[in-house]
Amino acid sequence: MKNFSISLLGLGLLAATAALSACSSKPPQPDWQGNAYSSLQSFSSAYLTGDTRVADVEFARARNAVASTGRPDLVARAELMRCATRVASLEFDNCAGFQPLAQDADAGQRSYAAYLNGQWQGLDASLLPPQHKTAVSTGRLGDIQDPLSQLVAAGALLQSGRLTPADIATATETASAQGWRRPLLAWLGVQSQRAKAAGDAAALAQLQRRMDLVAKPAP
């Protein structure tokens, strides 16, 4: 299996193998692979835009499809994808869905869970995807291009206590550019806390206006 790639929604390999099989004489890929990939895509989109109900339904479908294989490592991959999406939105739960599967997960998966949870002491960064290796080695977002991977790295850096003010601003504007309400509100909240601590009333008021605009649907 590939290493973790949030830009491919964790199970991108499944779609790739399905596409290849369509162009070859090999038997078609099992239905569970396409079903899981489609549901994970729908989960990610719904979660980031703030539709919790749809996100929960789609993730349950994806997990059920993957669980039909009886392979804990594949279910662990799906759970880590969900955890990473939550970390991008600054919703931290110690990757609760992954923990019961950790004993059957591989070393890369356990390292990725530790990374997401900000548990970097003794972390073997060589087991992480390239973009996240950079975040660990430099303490910065660097040049991560994929928007969701960037927000995941920012959330992990925040958990580890290493996120810089410049990268907080970068994460905020990345969420804004994508129109992702849930992480945008979370990152605007971080900026708002900083403005309040600094006694910057003008910045605080401006940030609150942005938060109100994002949070309140048009009549």
Side-chain angles (χ1 to χ4, degrees):
M1 299 294 289
K2 282 185 178 180
N3 62 10
F4 302 98
S5 176
I6 296 305
S7 64
L8 294 180
L9 301 173
L11 294 180
L13 180 59
L14 304 182
T17 54
L20 288 174
S21 69
C23 302
S24 71
S25 60
K26 293 182 180 180
Q29 294 297 309
D31 289 343
W32 73 266
Q33 293 187 354
N35 293 340
Y37 180 71
S38 176
S39 291
L40 283 174
Q41 283 185 310
S42 297
F43 156 75
S44 180
S45 177
Y47 192 85
L48 293 168
T49 55
D51 193 334
T52 301
R53 183 189 64 81
V54 171
D56 288 346
V57 169
E58 292 296 342
F59 185 80
R61 287 175 178 166
R63 195 185 195 282
N64 186 57
V66 178
S68 70
T69 67
R71 286 184 55 181
D73 61 319
L74 292 182
V75 180
R77 184 180 294 271
E79 287 289 355
L80 286 171
M81 178 264 175
R82 175 168 65 166
C83 181
T85 306
R86 288 176 57 83
V87 167
S89 302
L90 305 186
E91 296 180 359
F92 307 124
D93 67 352
N94 195 38
C95 294
F98 170 77
Q99 296 308 324
L101 303 162
Q103 62 183 338
D104 294 313
D106 61 36
Q109 291 173 329
R110 291 191 293 271
S111 293
Y112 190 54
Y115 166 77
L116 293 174
N117 293 322
Q119 299 165 1
W120 292 11
Q121 187 67 34
L123 178 65
D124 185 354
S126 69
L127 297 176
L128 299 176
Q131 64 269 36
H132 298 296
K133 291 177 186 177
T134 299
V136 172
S137 63
T138 67
R140 297 293 306 275
L141 292 181
D143 60 351
I144 298 175
Q145 298 300 311
D146 175 67
L148 187 49
S149 293
Q150 185 188 92
L151 292 181
V152 171
L157 283 163
L158 183 65
Q159 282 239 83
S160 70
R162 306 183 189 192
L163 191 63
T164 67
D167 283 341
I168 291 173
T170 296
T172 303
E173 296 314 312
T174 294
S176 174
Q178 296 300 314
W180 288 338
R181 277 189 164 87
R182 193 187 299 267
L184 177 55
L185 282 171
W187 288 103
L188 286 171
V190 172
Q191 288 194 314
S192 181
Q193 292 171 5
R194 290 177 55 82
K196 184 176 182 179
D200 190 339
L204 186 61
Q206 191 269 341
L207 288 164
Q208 188 60 55
R209 290 193 297 271
R210 289 190 70 182
M211 293 171 71
D212 290 344
L213 189 63
V214 175
K216 296 177 181 177

